[in-house]
Amino acid sequence: MGLPHASRWFSHLSSLTLNRFSSSSPRSLSRLNRSYTQFIVTTNFSLKRQLQRPLFKTMASSTHVVDATARQDKVTAPYGSWKSPITADVVSGASKRLSGIAVDCHGHLFWVESRPSESGRSVLVREADKPGEEPTDITPKEFAVRTTAQEYGGGAFTISEDTVIYSNYKDQRLYKQSIKSKVHAADSSPVPLTPDYGGPVVSYADGVFDLRFNRFVTVMEDRRVSSTNSTTTIVAVGLSDKNIQEPKVLVSGNDFYAFPRIDPKGERIAWIEWGHPNMPWDKTELWVGYISENGDVHNRICVAGCDPTAVESPTEPKWSSKGELFFVTDRKSGFWNLYKWIESVNEVQAIYSLDAEFSKPLWVFGINSYELFQNNEGKNLIACSYRKNGRSFLGILDDVQSSLSLLDIPFTDIDNITSWNRCLYVEGASAVHPSSVAKVHLDDYGSKVVDFKIIWSSSPDSLNYNSYFSVPELIEFPTEVPGQNAYAFFYPPSNPIYQASQEEKPPLLLKSHGGPTSETRGILNLSIQYWTSRGWAFVDVNYGGSTGYGREYRERLVDKWGIVDVNDCCSCANFLVDNGKVADLSMLRAETHKFESHYIDNLVGNEKDYFERSPINFVDRFSCPIILFQGLEDKVVPPDQARKIYLALKKKGLPVALVEYEGEQHGFRKAENIK
């Protein structure tokens, strides 16, 4: 997510990627250039020296201990020269993405997957009824389920009873389609619900059904007047097949909206809103409005986030079957925890307090970190996930007793959760599981796992290479600031056929994730295994400013983007080969889309800071080869950024290349380009 977003394609670019650090500061630049030169000369990484400083927390055993006999059976070859079956074809073919899950009234699981083999087309799929059968595509071939709201999208489809409503990528209109019969679902024709504006200039996301008024309530982003300063509102779209009308505006006036949620009786609506210069993890507000007999919203009440003396970012509001409003916020502790609204006195009550993150930054719509359900005894419970110390946990929370019971499942990383009839559907992964969806059966009390079964996998063939997998270790290491530590995942070289000589140390690839308000996770990623299986060590750094460790850690980057992240990466390893992403920050602020148009202000600071941290102003300090890969439809980091860097470096005489890709946006989706 976010501005650099190197995480989507870093490993395909070889060790020569964009140098986002080269002009951060003279001191950091000097250290970086020194480190880069050292790497080129020695192609050696003294692992022992690096690991004497950090504190290690091992997620799973990844120390490759072999006895003398085992070593004799292996081929001795230099690190970085090993042969591996994890090829570029394997990596590019294993990058299906999941864009949401849902369950219909009959308990059938649906999901949206993007397919690199179909130029990144996003397809709504229904699970197979029986083992051995194939899942069924719901979306007709000329349609794709994807919204471009806030550029990153998410929340592109919603299911109720036997109907699905989704955003079609090509025209961004909302369509209604019957999913009543599996056999005939693919033949069911989608029916448009929103007007045709002559192009994809109005987008919708994060919608819910409003059965009381037979309508669909959703976030609408209108770019008809300005593509860089769109108008966002919460609107109601009629579900009648007879005529298409303009959506009715229910809530407006602020810059951004998310999570419109209707209570079970259709009498109240909750939503999240925020305005510039804040991002949704900086400061947001949770509101509740009462719905009149004619469907308008009135008598609005601010539930959380409106106290000017406190800073919090409430998110993920959700109504229980009894009409109670639950949500997540990071008030006081700085960690996103679960709360409940006491409507009678307009107060909020903490359900369970823990120094852990029960939600994540709202880069995309449709986040669902917890689910409300009942056990066989009719007791209300909350299935929830949280992140602590670099991994995810799945648990069942009893809000009456304020107790949390952990569930034992193989996933160490969890995204979204949905439920149906004592079953949880969990989006997750681990060091040996690629991004997957698992069906988790609970006992009658909803407290223990009875069965765990993977329904969908982004890379079902990946287990063919499990003997080559490098399992990450979570590293906690000291930064340049006394008393402050940062985190990273270290992947040692791993190959069942090859070994290096005992005296040799492996070369290192260091990755600095995109965002920057994001988090790298220690899950199976063939883009990383591509390198480690060839004898490279790989370090994936969660520098100060990353998410998953609370607000205080996240805000280390405020006014210090290009300083703290660089210094943390240098603290994690003595030399770097990842050159990140280079950008002219002043141009980036002027040209980027509305959602992130003020994001960099908080990360960088004043105009002087912009100048000093914009690499284009310090081309004379560049010393390493750079290659740029640019999507021509990228609105987050526009193509002109890459072209300006390319021309400046070419003029200086440095080895530089610019490769542009038609039809690609922020993060490549087509298999041929990923490869």
Side-chain angles (χ1 to χ4, degrees), residues 303-592:
V303 173
C306 293
D307 182 353
T309 65
V311 177
E312 64 176 318
S313 48
T315 184
E316 292 197 60
K318 187 171 295 186
W319 299 96
S320 72
S321 58
K322 295 181 179 180
E324 300 170 303
L325 180 63
F326 293 83
F327 63 99
V328 178
T329 191
D330 60 347
R331 59 172 52 193
K332 296 181 180 179
S333 72
F335 288 89
W336 275 310
N337 283 192
L338 278 159
Y339 286 77
K340 180 168 64 175
W341 180 43
I342 311 301
E343 183 177 11
S344 59
V345 291
N346 190 26
E347 294 180 355
V348 300
Q349 173 184 312
I351 297 174
Y352 188 82
S353 298
L354 187 68
D355 285 352
E357 299 281 49
F358 283 76
S359 188
K360 58 186 178 181
L362 199 161
W363 281 109
V364 298
F365 291 104
I367 297 172
N368 203 54
S369 304
Y370 68 99
E371 189 80 347
L372 310 173
F373 73 104
Q374 290 184 335
N375 65 11
N376 260 16
E377 297 179 332
K379 190 175 186 179
N380 292 317
L381 299 171
I382 304 173
C384 57
S385 67
Y386 65 87
R387 286 191 68 76
K388 187 177 179 66
N389 296 331
R391 64 158 292 170
S392 297
F393 298 86
L394 180 66
I396 302 297
L397 182 59
D398 184 334
D399 72 294
V400 176
Q401 301 293 330
S402 190
S403 62
L404 179 67
S405 302
L406 294 182
L407 299 178
D408 185 15
I409 64 172
F411 290 160
T412 57
D413 185 89
I414 297 171
D415 274 332
N416 295 312
I417 303 171
T418 191
S419 66
W420 187 82
N421 193 24
R422 295 198 322 278
C423 286
L424 301 179
Y425 292 91
V426 180
E427 297 179 33
S430 74
V432 293
H433 293 91
S435 177
S436 307
V437 178
K439 187 175 186 178
V440 182
H441 286 269
L442 303 179
D443 64 7
D444 290 344
Y445 301 101
S447 60
K448 294 182 180 179
V449 175
V450 176
D451 187 40
F452 177 93
K453 180 182 179 182
I454 291 181
I455 304 295
W456 178 90
S457 172
S458 62
S459 178
D461 296 331
S462 61
L463 293 182
N464 295 337
Y465 311 100
N466 61 355
S467 63
Y468 289 82
F469 291 165
S470 174
V471 180
E473 297 173 9
L474 176 65
I475 302 171
E476 180 179 359
F477 60 91
T479 68
E480 288 194 346
V481 179
Q484 283 191 358
N485 291 349
Y487 307 89
F489 290 102
F490 174 73
Y491 298 78
S494 177
N495 190 303
I497 299 175
Y498 290 92
Q499 65 184 4
S501 64
Q502 291 183 322
E503 310 82 54
E504 188 181 359
K505 301 298 180 183
L508 174 71
L509 285 172
L510 189 147
K511 175 181 168 186
S512 178
H513 66 71
T517 312
S518 186
E519 177 188 10
T520 189
R521 303 187 173 197
I523 64 176
L524 180 60
N525 182 345
L526 292 186
S527 297
I528 294 176
Q529 303 298 330
Y530 175 93
W531 297 103
T532 56
S533 64
R534 285 167 169 77
W536 291 77
F538 197 105
V539 170
D540 211 348
V541 182
N542 274 320
Y543 47 78
S546 302
T547 60
Y549 300 91
R551 179 182 283 270
E552 182 179 346
Y553 192 88
R554 194 167 68 240
E555 292 184 344
R556 288 185 188 179
L557 212 57
V558 172
D559 291 337
K560 295 181 180 179
W561 189 31
I563 297 176
V564 168
D565 46 344
V566 175
N567 290 340
D568 285 357
C569 287
C570 291
S571 296
C572 183
N574 283 336
F575 56 86
L576 303 172
V577 295
D578 170 24
N579 299 307
K581 175 199 153 292
V582 182
D584 174 358
L585 296 185
S586 297
M587 283 185 61
L588 190 60
R589 178 177 62 170
E591 296 180 3
T592 195

Side-chain angles (χ1 to χ4, degrees), residues 143 164-166 173-178 188-194 239-242 244:
F143 283 75
V164 60
I165 292 178
Y166 58 81
R173 298 174 71 186
L174 285 180
Y175 287 80
K176 179 175 68 173
Q177 185 176 342
S178 172
S188 172
S189 298
V191 177
L193 295 174
T194 53
L239 297 181
S240 172
D241 295 338
K242 296 180 180 179
I244 298 175

Side-chain angles (χ1 to χ4, degrees), residues 99-103 110-112 124 145 154-159 164-167 206-207 216:
S99 299
I101 59 175
V103 181
F110 293 77
W111 65 85
V112 170
L124 180 65
V145 181
F157 78 103
T158 306
I159 289 176
V164 60
I165 292 178
Y166 58 81
S167 295
D206 210 9
F216 190 68

Side-chain angles (χ1 to χ4, degrees), residues 55-357:
L55 306 173
F56 279 82
K57 295 181 179 178
T58 306
M59 293 180 59
S61 177
S62 63
T63 305
H64 298 272
V65 181
V66 293
D67 57 26
T69 303
R71 288 191 62 86
Q72 290 175 1
D73 291 339
K74 287 191 172 186
V75 177
T76 299
Y79 283 119
S81 68
W82 303 349
K83 295 181 180 179
S84 169
I86 304 176
T87 63
D89 283 312
V90 170
V91 174
S92 62
S95 54
K96 284 194 300 183
R97 297 181 196 165
L98 192 66
S99 299
I101 59 175
V103 181
D104 70 5
C105 59
H106 309 290
H108 300 130
L109 177 68
F110 293 77
W111 65 85
V112 170
E113 65 180 37
S114 68
R115 298 171 177 172
S117 60
E118 298 182 31
S119 298
R121 175 174 170 257
S122 297
V123 183
L124 180 65
V125 183
R126 171 181 161 159
E127 71 171 315
D129 280 339
K130 300 177 182 178
E133 293 184 353
E134 292 295 322
T136 302
D137 287 0
I138 301 300
T139 316
K141 291 185 177 181
E142 64 274 18
F143 283 75
V145 181
R146 181 182 167 199
T147 176
T148 60
Q150 289 184 183
E151 294 302 321
Y152 296 108
F157 78 103
T158 306
I159 289 176
S160 178
E161 299 295 331
D162 295 314
T163 300
V164 60
I165 292 178
Y166 58 81
S167 295
N168 181 42
Y169 176 61
K170 186 175 182 180
D171 58 11
Q172 287 297 288
R173 298 174 71 186
L174 285 180
Y175 287 80
K176 179 175 68 173
Q177 185 176 342
S178 172
I179 53 173
K180 195 168 187 178
S181 169
K182 176 183 175 182
V183 177
H184 301 294
D187 299 326
S188 172
S189 298
V191 177
L193 295 174
T194 53
D196 182 356
Y197 297 110
V201 292
V202 177
S203 298
Y204 308 88
D206 210 9
V208 292
F209 284 81
D210 182 358
L211 301 181
R212 179 185 174 193
F213 292 97
N214 190 34
R215 62 186 183 179
F216 190 68
V217 176
T218 180
V219 175
M220 184 177 83
E221 182 181 271
D222 190 342
R223 301 179 296 276
R224 284 176 288 180
V225 175
S226 171
S227 61
T228 58
N229 189 28
S230 56
T231 300
T232 304
T233 54
I234 295 176
V235 301
V237 177
L239 297 181
S240 172
D241 295 338
K242 296 180 180 179
N243 55 1
I244 298 175
Q245 297 180 347
E246 282 287 327
K248 178 181 180 179
V249 175
L250 300 179
V251 182
S252 63
N254 216 329
D255 288 312
F256 302 100
Y257 295 92
F259 296 108
R261 299 295 183 259
I262 308 289
D263 77 2
K265 294 182 179 180
E267 297 174 348
R268 295 167 296 176
I269 178 175
W271 70 87
I272 299 293
E273 66 176 64
W274 69 99
H276 284 320
N278 294 309
M279 296 298 284
W281 46 85
D282 295 327
K283 193 176 191 308
T284 59
E285 299 171 359
L286 167 60
W287 287 79
V288 169
Y290 294 84
I291 303 175
S292 65
E293 291 299 322
N294 66 356
D296 291 332
V297 176
H298 66 107
N299 293 342
R300 305 178 186 185
I301 298 174
C302 186
V303 173
C306 293
D307 182 353
T309 65
V311 177
E312 64 176 318
S313 48
T315 184
E316 292 197 60
K318 187 171 295 186
W319 299 96
S320 72
S321 58
K322 295 181 179 180
E324 300 170 303
L325 180 63
F326 293 83
F327 63 99
V328 178
T329 191
D330 60 347
R331 59 172 52 193
K332 296 181 180 179
S333 72
F335 288 89
W336 275 310
N337 283 192
L338 278 159
Y339 286 77
K340 180 168 64 175
W341 180 43
I342 311 301
E343 183 177 11
S344 59
V345 291
N346 190 26
E347 294 180 355
V348 300
Q349 173 184 312
I351 297 174
Y352 188 82
S353 298
L354 187 68
D355 285 352
E357 299 281 49

